[in-house]
Amino acid sequence: MLISNTWIVSDSSPETSWTSALVGGKGANLHELVRLGMPVPRLVCVATSAFEAAVAAHPELASMRAELATCDSTNHARITELCGRIREQIQRLALPAELLAALRAELAEEFSQSIPLAVRSSAADEDHADASFAGMHDSFLFQRGEERVSQAIRDVWASTYHERAVIYRREQGLTCEHIAVAVVIQRMIDAQASGVMFTCHPATGSVHQTVIGAVYGLGEGLVGGTLAADTFVIEKRGQAITPDVVQKTTRLVQDKSTGQGIIAEDVPAAVQLQPAVSDDVLRQLAAHGVKIESHYGRPQDIEWALDAAGKLYILQTRPVTKPVEYGPAAGNRMIWDNSNIVESYSGVTSPLTFSFIRRAYTIVYHCFAEVMGIAPKVVAANDDMFSNMLGLFRGRVYYNLRNWYRLIKLFPGYQYNARYMESMMGLKEPLELDDVSPKPSFWRKWFVEFPSLLKLVGRSLWNFSRLQRRVEHFHNDFRRHYEVWDEMNFAKLSPPEALKLYQEMERALLWNWKAPIINDFYVMIYYGLLKKLSESWCGDTTGAMQNDLICGEGGIESAQPAKHLLRMAARAQHDPELRRMILEDELESLPKRVSADPRFSEFSIEMQRYLRLYGFRCMHELKLEEFSLRDRPASVYGVLRNYLSLNDEAALDVEAAEAREQRVRQEAEAKVMQALRSRRGSWWRGFVFRRILRNARNGVKNRENMRFARTRIYGLLRELMRGVGGQLAAEGILGEREQIFYLTMDEVWDFVRGTAVTTDLRSLAVLRKQEFDRYRDSATLAPDERFETFGMVYHRNLFRNHRAAAPKFVDGKLRGIGCCQGIIEAPARVVHHPSDAHGLVGTILVAERTDPGWVPLYPAVKGILIERGSILSHSAVVAREMGIPTIVGISGLLASINDGQRIRMDGQAGTVELLD
């Protein structure tokens, strides 16, 4: 049935005509490139409706197409026969008179002047994200005149029924009966060089690199895998180029004798080892690639050509099928880093903990903005930033760095504060925000921004001057609440009562967390200044002086638990029997045995005191799912065992350790004074340095003590949520108490208050636990310390640092270009021609070269090794789509591997190891 009365679509056609259904995938993409301003050769499309009209007059074609669509996939002989008969009939079709008239009208200049044209396929489902049809259909180059172009159109239509294309369609789940195919006709570029560009690395998946393959002459020699090609890897940032230039002995060019088609000819010896294109052309190409990639929002596979005058043309683009990552093209760039927060939340962190800390960060930084005088409208405008300071990746907690920098940007002295923040957070790489504000006008700079800066600086100084009183008030208020809550039995609270208590904790503590957050800002400023002055005034470039000056402060509460345990270990060291028990007996039995033995009554009392004071602590103490020392007192004996195993009394001497810290501190102070005395203005320098040092020390001490208070809060919250978990388990809502940690805070409290979306909490917790157990069990799933994401954060992002060092491979292995990752160990099956390919199942296909005609063999094999070809050849493209590990360009492959020999290949590394 004729789907449209449109025969030809050209530059004069309306925009609405350029749909995939009418002009095919390639045609629609080319028109989109024209709209984008890319240099595309003159473009005309024969619509899909013309193909349908041509075959409609032949009912036998419809019958054969229908039979082909239902033919058994394993009946290769019948498929081959049907495809041959269909192609033969299509090649003899008479073109509709209306189509011929439209062609003559649209291509009048080209026909009259015998201008060479390229005639290519453009199926409606071709060049799409999930199916590229790379090399499946035929193209006809340097076609001149109406007769040759008309026959080329028939031949393109017929090529959609090559058995390789039909098998590919079946593999991709596409129809084989009603194939809608258009034909792209373009002015032919007589290229001096051409090739393919991938805007992501096809082998590694890196979205931060562009890979360009280039040959002399026409690009068919590259995409067909028949000619050696140069490969250039270009970094998108900085545009550094890594070339791999090979000897190019042959090129494909126009057949000048006939003016039609192409022939192979020798490349002059003088240029065989020269790059096919210059660095300037490569960077121009890469810039086009980034623009096209950004327009489509995903990596692209682009064909290009360079004419004799040095002008670049883009011949086609299609999405990289099944890309590992989308990368910068998808936008929404985010940077994630766990440099510092990993200390508090190492490894996999439970959903309950993450949901709590995410809300806690939101609240406390709202408080910070309030006390620093940030206007409420500014806070409201940045609500998304405040709510997303953290991220969770495969159970691991990360800073959302862009939002941290945006937060610091709200305050005065962004450039200095950013550097100080980086130092505090332990960031290894600084970050510059992309969304840099335009330079303000003179009026705005001095009459709007400068007064605001002065106001914020004044507010900061005012807060700093009152900080110590705030800190003392914080501790007094905290102790008042904590003493009440610590005496409560959370296990006996009903869930509504627990919710009420949680809300009280949030109001009383989180929404009054102003002193700790101001102090963090205070430390960031003064610790940063101390570091800067230690470097510039005292010549310290290692950071050792700054750290030595801070140590030995005293009065730091978070150091007391360790000192308490050291004293207990020293006591046990002098009691041979107690020492023996701690070192040799089963840890789990020690708490009961020691407390039941009257010989150790004093030690047992000290242990109970320790648990009362510090029992809320535990390994990973800011993770709610962890068990506290009160729950697992044997852990304390484990620490004591480690101390006693040192067998060194001096190491257990707390007072001696404190004395050593004081000596270090005093020696550092002496070095500072000596350095300052050697400088002009030593008096005022000394005054400034001592003041900054005093403030830095005080800020660090307050920071540690208030963090210790935070640990106590987490201890209470841990017990509270375990109490709720116990209540829910007793009611059958959860399978057991610990399942509560696989829910979020909102999910728990919404169930209590009646706003839950999902009420089957047991199934939800089981599902989450299975997911998080996978993250724990597989180290390979752990994201890198720092990485970028683009687009939808959890979709097509690998959470890997693209700047990580490339692996070094062991010598003694065959090497090629990895095209599709995967490690396979299997026997080799050396094939010289597809017709000789028997016994392929479960083997690694080894061949000198392949082309799209080999595609039907691919599903049977575990891997593919090809002596010739490039990373960008059609065969490599299709193999990647099918997920078959593939390596190409392996010099000496066939001379090194025997048929049936067992080998191991690494598709990503591009290495082949002979096992026997």
Side-chain angles (χ1 to χ4, degrees):
M1 182 176 68
L2 188 61
I3 62 171
S4 169
N5 59 3
T6 301
W7 301 100
I8 294 290
V9 178
S10 68
D11 298 338
S12 59
S13 302
E15 291 289 326
T16 54
S17 299
W18 293 90
T19 63
S20 294
L22 193 60
V23 299
K26 187 182 277 100
N29 284 339
L30 282 168
H31 178 66
E32 195 67 15
L33 291 176
V34 172
R35 293 180 63 245
L36 191 59
M38 290 292 111
V40 175
R42 156 110 160 110
L43 173 64
V44 173
C45 285
V46 177
T48 56
S49 52
F51 175 62
E52 291 300 324
V55 300
H58 298 269
E60 68 278 11
L61 268 176
S63 175
M64 285 189 289
R65 291 164 77 188
E67 182 181 352
L68 181 64
T70 58
C71 186
D72 186 348
S73 297
T74 62
N75 192 347
H76 285 188
R78 182 57 178 162
I79 291 175
T80 300
E81 179 194 353
L82 284 170
C83 286
R85 288 169 56 197
I86 293 172
R87 287 200 308 276
E88 185 180 345
Q89 289 236 19
I90 292 175
Q91 286 169 328
R92 295 203 303 262
L93 287 176
L95 297 187
E98 294 90 340
L99 173 58
L100 288 173
L103 277 173
R104 294 181 186 120
E106 194 61 50
L107 298 174
E109 181 181 359
E110 286 81 0
F111 287 166
S112 65
Q113 299 182 28
S114 192
I115 295 174
L117 300 171
V119 183
R120 304 176 185 271
S121 70
S122 182
D125 43 15
E126 185 175 351
D127 284 359
H128 283 205
D130 297 321
S132 67
F133 283 89
M136 296 294 144
H137 303 147
D138 292 338
S139 296
F140 300 90
L141 309 182
F142 290 104
Q143 303 297 301
R144 300 173 188 268
E146 178 184 330
E147 183 179 347
R148 290 297 296 265
V149 170
S150 297
Q151 186 56 51
I153 291 172
R154 297 186 191 93
D155 291 339
V156 166
W157 286 345
S159 72
T160 60
Y161 286 93
H162 275 306
E163 50 266 35
R164 66 194 182 207
V166 169
I167 291 174
Y168 178 78
R169 281 183 170 279
R170 287 174 174 270
E171 288 286 334
Q172 300 297 319
L174 302 174
T175 180
C176 292
E177 182 175 4
H178 299 292
I179 301 175
V181 58
V183 179
V184 168
I185 303 174
Q186 292 181 281
R187 285 200 175 185
M188 191 69 211
I189 306 301
D190 192 3
Q192 69 170 4
S194 52
V196 177
M197 170 168 56
F198 272 52
T199 62
C200 66
H201 199 298
T204 66
S206 173
V207 292
H208 305 280
Q209 295 176 319
T210 295
V211 178
I212 297 175
V215 295
Y216 289 124
L218 301 174
E220 270 60 26
L222 187 155
V223 297
T226 58
L227 298 182
D230 295 337
T231 302
F232 306 92
V233 179
I234 305 175
E235 302 296 328
K236 289 182 180 176
R237 290 189 183 179
Q239 292 197 313
I241 300 173
T242 302
D244 181 11
V245 179
V246 300
Q247 186 172 17
K248 301 169 288 296
T249 59
T250 308
R251 63 187 173 193
L252 299 181
V253 296
Q254 177 186 5
D255 185 353
K256 296 290 198 305
S257 63
T258 64
Q260 306 272 4
I262 60 177
I263 60 171
E265 70 174 22
D266 293 338
V267 174
V271 297
Q272 287 182 3
L273 288 172
Q274 292 183 8
V277 289
S278 68
D279 286 358
D280 288 343
V281 170
L282 290 171
R283 291 193 173 100
Q284 186 181 350
L285 261 174
H288 284 330
V290 168
K291 186 174 181 180
I292 296 170
E293 178 188 57
S294 298
H295 176 73
Y296 281 99
R298 61 182 298 158
Q300 297 290 299
D301 168 5
I302 301 166
E303 292 187 16
W304 57 272
L306 182 71
D307 70 10
K311 182 177 180 180
L312 270 175
Y313 289 91
I314 303 299
L315 304 181
Q316 74 174 54
T317 188
R318 57 187 171 219
V320 173
T321 52
K322 302 177 182 176
V324 178
E325 294 186 273
Y326 282 158
N332 192 37
R333 176 178 177 243
M334 294 186 183
I335 299 92
W336 306 91
D337 193 295
N338 71 350
S339 296
N340 180 277
I341 202 166
V342 72
E343 296 177 8
S344 300
Y345 302 100
S346 63
V348 174
T349 298
S350 74
L352 190 75
T353 296
F354 177 73
S355 64
F356 172 71
I357 61 175
R358 181 188 175 197
R359 176 158 175 78
Y361 272 69
T362 302
I363 292 173
V364 298
Y365 281 101
H366 267 100
C367 293
F368 183 43
E370 176 189 334
V371 298
M372 293 299 290
I374 304 298
K377 65 179 182 180
V378 174
V379 174
N382 289 278
D383 183 67
D384 179 69
M385 175 193 75
F386 285 104
S387 301
N388 293 283
M389 305 294 287
L390 302 177
L392 190 69
F393 294 88
R394 296 172 184 160
R396 278 87 173 172
V397 181
Y398 284 77
Y399 290 126
N400 184 338
L401 274 193
R402 288 179 61 83
N403 283 348
W404 283 90
Y405 279 83
R406 286 173 60 199
L407 174 70
I408 292 297
K409 201 172 181 181
L410 297 179
F411 302 100
Y414 166 70
Q415 292 298 327
Y416 295 105
N417 293 340
R419 303 291 85 85
Y420 299 159
M421 181 192 73
E422 289 160 4
S423 178
M424 280 189 63
M425 295 174 73
L427 302 182
K428 297 176 181 176
E429 303 174 43
L431 170 70
E432 297 298 336
L433 294 175
D434 296 334
D435 48 345
V436 179
S437 303
K439 190 174 182 180
S441 64
F442 176 86
W443 185 89
R444 180 172 181 82
K445 179 178 179 180
W446 293 106
F447 294 96
V448 177
E449 295 187 358
F450 185 67
S452 298
L453 175 63
L454 291 179
K455 181 180 177 182
L456 284 171
V457 170
R459 189 71 175 250
S460 299
L461 294 175
W462 170 249
N463 281 319
F464 289 171
S465 69
R466 300 172 63 243
L467 179 58
Q468 196 56 39
R469 276 178 289 174
R470 279 184 178 272
V471 170
E472 292 171 2
H473 176 75
F474 170 84
H475 283 301
N476 291 334
D477 193 54
F478 175 80
R479 280 191 290 268
R480 179 169 57 85
H481 286 98
Y482 184 81
E483 288 171 0
V484 174
W485 294 333
D486 192 39
E487 295 298 322
M488 298 177 69
N489 186 347
F490 296 137
K492 292 187 176 181
L493 295 179
S494 68
E497 290 171 333
L499 170 59
K500 184 177 179 181
L501 179 59
Y502 173 82
Q503 292 170 332
E504 182 184 339
M505 289 178 173
E506 189 175 282
R507 285 192 302 270
L509 296 178
L510 287 183
W511 283 106
N512 286 289
W513 204 256
K514 298 181 177 64
I517 202 68
I518 293 172
N519 188 77
D520 277 352
F521 189 57
Y522 180 88
V523 171
M524 186 180 77
I525 299 298
Y526 283 105
Y527 195 73
L529 288 172
L530 179 62
K531 180 180 180 181
K532 188 173 182 64
L533 294 187
S534 296
E535 293 173 354
S536 59
W537 288 2
C538 305
D540 176 51
T541 58
T542 64
M545 178 179 288
Q546 177 188 19
N547 294 331
D548 292 347
L549 289 168
I550 293 295
C551 79
E553 178 63 17
I556 296 179
E557 190 176 2
S558 59
Q560 295 310 308
K563 292 181 178 180
H564 195 133
L565 282 178
L566 281 171
R567 292 189 178 100
M568 291 175 64
R571 179 193 292 267
Q573 181 76 12
H574 293 95
D575 186 327
E577 181 57 22
L578 178 59
R579 182 178 184 278
R580 185 202 62 76
M581 287 178 62
I582 295 175
L583 284 173
E584 298 178 7
D585 286 7
E586 183 185 8
L587 281 177
E588 294 299 325
S589 67
L590 281 175
K592 288 185 177 179
R593 292 191 61 194
V594 171
S595 62
D597 194 325
R599 294 176 298 171
F600 312 131
S601 58
E602 291 186 9
F603 185 87
S604 183
I605 291 171
E606 195 64 23
M607 176 63 74
Q608 293 305 313
R609 180 169 176 266
Y610 179 86
L611 291 175
R612 186 175 69 253
L613 291 173
Y614 309 119
F616 54 84
R617 306 206 76 176
C618 57
M619 294 295 291
H620 310 301
E621 59 192 12
L622 298 186
K623 291 184 176 184
L624 300 179
E625 63 271 19
E626 296 293 327
F627 288 97
S628 70
L629 298 180
R630 293 172 181 172
D631 298 316
R632 304 284 170 85
S635 301
V636 182
Y637 283 95
V639 176
L640 292 173
R641 175 175 290 180
N642 291 332
Y643 289 167
L644 292 173
S645 297
L646 296 172
N647 201 26
D648 182 0
E649 288 194 21
L652 305 179
D653 190 337
V654 174
E655 287 68 26
E658 291 175 344
R660 284 194 299 271
E661 290 180 355
Q662 286 300 317
R663 284 197 300 273
V664 170
R665 175 186 177 112
Q666 291 164 7
E667 289 171 2
E669 290 172 346
K671 290 179 182 178
V672 168
M673 292 301 103
Q674 183 179 357
L676 293 181
R677 279 195 294 269
S678 66
R679 290 180 172 272
R680 295 177 59 183
S682 60
W683 180 86
W684 70 265
R685 289 179 191 268
F687 174 80
V688 170
F689 196 98
R690 284 190 295 271
R691 188 175 184 85
I692 289 174
L693 176 59
R694 183 190 66 190
N695 290 344
R697 284 171 171 170
N698 196 49
V700 170
K701 178 174 70 174
N702 287 336
R703 185 169 184 251
E704 290 303 308
N705 288 342
M706 287 187 285
R707 282 189 165 192
F708 197 65
R710 180 186 64 179
T711 301
R712 292 179 185 270
I713 295 172
Y714 276 73
L716 290 175
L717 187 58
R718 178 181 294 113
E719 293 183 14
L720 176 65
M721 298 314 295
R722 274 208 166 88
V724 175
Q727 293 281 357
L728 296 179
E731 294 291 339
I733 298 167
L734 293 178
E736 47 96 17
R737 182 185 68 173
E738 298 302 303
Q739 282 185 346
I740 194 170
F741 297 109
Y742 293 95
L743 304 173
T744 67
M745 282 288 181
D746 283 343
E747 287 166 349
V748 173
W749 300 135
D750 285 348
F751 188 89
V752 175
R753 61 166 66 98
T755 54
V757 175
T758 297
T759 57
D760 186 0
L761 297 188
R762 181 198 292 251
S763 297
L764 184 58
V766 168
L767 180 66
R768 288 254 179 83
K769 185 176 186 302
Q770 291 172 349
E771 178 183 354
F772 277 67
D773 282 346
R774 287 198 303 273
Y775 299 150
R776 292 188 186 94
D777 294 342
S778 177
T780 59
L781 290 178
D784 286 343
E785 181 180 345
R786 183 186 179 114
F787 56 88
E788 295 178 333
T789 60
F790 301 90
M792 295 184 292
V793 172
Y794 293 118
H795 181 61
R796 292 196 184 276
N797 283 295
L798 296 181
F799 315 141
R800 298 298 177 203
N801 188 342
H802 71 277
R803 297 183 181 179
K808 292 179 172 61
F809 304 117
V810 181
D811 289 332
K813 299 178 182 178
L814 289 171
R815 296 176 181 242
I817 303 171
C819 296
C820 184
Q821 62 184 344
I823 298 176
I824 300 296
E825 182 177 320
R829 179 69 180 92
V830 178
V831 178
H832 298 281
H833 189 274
S835 61
D836 302 327
H838 54 83
L840 281 174
V841 177
T843 66
I844 296 175
L845 172 64
V846 177
E848 181 184 6
R849 56 175 292 276
T850 64
D851 58 42
W854 291 62
V855 171
L857 308 179
Y858 288 4
V861 302
K862 287 187 172 182
I864 301 171
L865 303 177
I866 304 173
E867 184 163 319
R868 304 182 65 180
S870 80
I871 197 171
L872 307 174
S873 65
H874 284 312
S875 298
V877 171
V878 174
R880 280 191 294 273
E881 289 179 31
M882 294 184 174
I884 303 171
T886 302
I887 306 172
V888 302
I890 310 171
S891 179
L893 176 66
L894 266 63
S896 305
I897 295 181
N898 298 318
D899 192 40
Q901 186 173 14
R902 195 159 189 82
I903 59 177
R904 180 186 295 117
M905 62 174 289
D906 185 331
Q908 181 171 359
T911 60
V912 182
E913 183 179 1
L914 311 183
L915 300 181
D916 56 53

